[in-house]
Amino acid sequence: MVTQGTLAIIQAAQKQTDDRQDARLKELETELAEARKTKAQQWFAIGLSILGIVGTIIAGVIVFNLNRGVG
């Protein structure tokens, strides 16, 4: 049999443990969200770079063909 005082101590210790675990889980969730955000930004930048390269190639082909037709 457990006394009320002992039970209160056990419950308080368990609450502290639960609170620490909840805080750690929240911290991990925040880190994961930041990692996803960073990854999305990186892929967006890669996509824009590829789009720029394709645009440059297309413009180069058009200008090359226009110059070839003049001469």
Side-chain angles (χ1 to χ4, degrees):
M1 197 152 195
V2 178
T3 64
Q4 288 289 10
T6 304
L7 181 61
I9 291 170
I10 292 170
Q11 287 174 335
Q14 184 62 48
K15 182 171 178 359
Q16 284 180 337
T17 300
D18 291 346
D19 289 346
R20 281 195 305 268
Q21 287 176 344
D22 290 345
R24 180 65 181 140
L25 284 173
K26 187 171 183 173
E27 181 182 329
L28 288 172
E29 289 171 353
T30 302
E31 288 174 11
L32 285 173
E34 288 296 320
R36 282 192 298 268
K37 181 180 174 184
T38 301
K39 193 171 194 174
Q41 289 172 338
Q42 289 171 344
W43 279 109
F44 182 74
I46 289 169
L48 283 179
S49 296
I50 291 171
L51 185 62
I53 290 169
V54 169
T56 301
I57 291 170
I58 291 172
V61 168
I62 291 171
V63 169
F64 175 77
N65 284 328
L66 286 175
N67 287 335
R68 204 171 77 174
V70 171

